[in-house]
């Protein structure tokens, strides 16, 4: 049977999951699936699922597990013949168990970034509410200050990205992520990275993947029985 490599990246909001995932996808040719991207896509398309998830995403709250698994697992089933990397999924123990029923991960990367660093990154975050497009005034600012690049509509800053609310969200992330991290630790596939700069963390992740991808590929994912 063909062998494929399956990985996931976890970390609090603003920890660099997206930035690192893109580097991994580019360097190692993995298919990249971001839960946040699919959520924003369904919001922008005004689908039924989009309307349902919009209020959660806008408030920085977790979308219910059954909605997330319905969004993500069919996409993974379609990729049963590929190596892939998940960004932002699974986020809860229930999601991790649902994923486990579909296929066994080879590697989980967990990013530990200090609160102060996350606060600095996220307090500069502005959002286009209709589409969920995210800007950062320091690193990826909009072309016109305060306006969405695509529609020209005004950007807003969520109350959730203000310091007090951010602290609560990060605490919530820790609580929810802990059992997921423990699960992957017990399976011997968890690798944690700490630091304040993505560029300093990246060489370690790069080197880990170089080793793992050539030694521990898994069987193709099993199709779920309905
Ligand atoms: P997302 O889309 O998964 P978040 O909030 O978890 O969103 P986000 O904002 O996408 O996380 P990230 O991907 O961890 O952050 O980080 P990033 O985008 O790479 O970097 C953040 C910023 O820091 C960027 O501007 C980047 O340029 C900058 N940066 C990166 N590295 C450095 C560095 O070294 N130095 C500096 N100075 N800057 C750097 O999820 C969105 C929402 O969808 C729902 C939830 O509501 C969630 O809030 N959701 C789910 N709900 C339930 N279950 C799931 N599985 C869900 N998945 C998504
Ligand atoms: Mg992201």
């Amino acid at each position: 049977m063909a062998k494929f490599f399956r990985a996931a990246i976890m970390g609090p909001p603003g920890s660099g999951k997206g930035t690192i995932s893109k580097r991994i996808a580019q360097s190692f040719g993995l298919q990249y699936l971001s839960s946040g991207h699919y959520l924003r896509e369904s919001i922008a398309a005004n689908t039924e699922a989009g309307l349902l998830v919009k209020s959660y995403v806008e408030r920085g709250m977790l979308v219910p597990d059954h909605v997330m698994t319905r969004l993500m697992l069919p996409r993974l089933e379609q990729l049963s013949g590929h190596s892939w990397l998940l960004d932002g999924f699974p986020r809860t123990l229930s999601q991790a168990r649902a994923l486990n029923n579909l296929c066994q991960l080879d590697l989980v990367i967990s990013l530990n970034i200090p609160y102060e660093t996350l606060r600095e990154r996220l307090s500069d975050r502005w959002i286009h509410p209709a589409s969920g497009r995210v800007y950062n005034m320091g690193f990826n600012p909009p072309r016109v200050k305060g306006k969405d690049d695509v529609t020209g509509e005004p950007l807003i800053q969520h109350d959730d990205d203000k310091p007090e609310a951010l602290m609560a969200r990060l605490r919530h992330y820790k609580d929810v992520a802990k059992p997921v991290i423990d699960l992957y630790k017990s399976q011997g596939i968890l690798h944690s990275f700490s630091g304040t700069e993505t560029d300093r963390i990246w060489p370690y992740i790069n080197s880990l993947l170089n080793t793992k991808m050539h030694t521990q590929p898994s069987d193709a994912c099993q199709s779920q029985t309905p």
Side-chain angles (χ1 to χ4, degrees):
M1 189 186 281
K3 300 284 184 180
F4 303 100
F5 191 78
R6 307 292 163 48
I9 186 162
M10 300 179 61
S15 57
K17 300 183 293 295
T19 307
I20 289 172
S21 294
K22 279 171 200 146
R23 292 185 192 184
I24 293 175
Q26 215 165 17
S27 304
F28 296 94
L30 303 181
Q31 297 275 332
Y32 167 52
L33 298 97
S34 151
S35 55
H37 169 79
Y38 292 129
L39 287 168
R40 285 185 284 279
E41 196 177 65
S42 61
I43 292 170
N46 255 324
T47 60
E48 201 180 321
L51 291 174
L52 177 68
V53 301
K54 192 173 175 194
S55 65
Y56 292 95
V57 174
E58 280 186 358
R59 286 176 291 155
M61 286 173 63
L62 288 184
V63 172
D65 288 333
H66 69 279
V67 179
M68 288 313 302
T69 50
R70 214 178 304 144
L71 186 76
M72 299 303 291
L73 297 188
R75 289 183 157 89
L76 294 178
E77 286 180 297
Q78 281 170 8
L79 287 178
S80 66
H82 293 81
S83 294
W84 45 247
L85 169 70
L86 283 168
D87 163 6
F89 181 91
R91 252 181 171 87
T92 66
L93 190 57
S94 159
Q95 292 176 18
R97 286 186 175 140
L99 175 62
N100 236 22
N101 288 338
L102 179 67
C103 106
Q104 172 68 46
L105 292 173
D106 297 295
L107 175 76
V108 176
I109 293 165
S110 171
L111 301 174
N112 298 323
I113 311 299
Y115 169 75
E116 194 51 33
T117 306
L118 298 173
R119 192 190 63 73
E120 277 168 22
R121 290 183 192 172
L122 296 183
S123 57
D124 244 5
R125 173 150 88 168
W126 289 73
I127 290 171
H128 176 238
S131 68
R133 272 185 287 278
V134 178
Y135 298 88
N136 182 288
M137 292 309 155
F139 310 106
N140 61 329
R143 284 197 287 272
V144 178
K145 196 176 172 204
K147 306 277 186 199
D148 177 48
D149 284 352
V150 177
T151 63
E153 289 167 355
L155 301 177
I156 61 156
Q157 189 173 36
H158 281 315
D159 286 346
D160 277 354
D161 280 343
K162 292 174 185 163
E164 332 69 65
L166 189 58
M167 178 69 110
R169 278 171 61 205
L170 295 178
R171 219 179 287 126
H172 180 61
Y173 168 82
K174 270 197 171 165
D175 292 344
V176 172
K178 181 154 189 325
V180 183
I181 286 173
D182 289 346
L183 172 74
Y184 291 135
K185 213 184 269 178
S186 74
Q187 294 177 351
I189 56 171
L190 184 84
H191 294 260
S192 298
F193 298 87
S194 304
T196 56
E197 289 173 49
T198 297
D199 285 347
R200 288 190 176 230
I201 293 174
W202 168 243
Y204 294 97
I205 295 180
N206 188 32
S207 142
L208 173 73
L209 276 156
N210 259 318
T211 311
K212 293 281 175 189
M213 277 193 70
H214 299 114
T215 53
Q216 289 188 348
S218 59
D219 291 339
C221 285
Q222 301 301 309
S223 284
Q224 256 180 342
T225 43

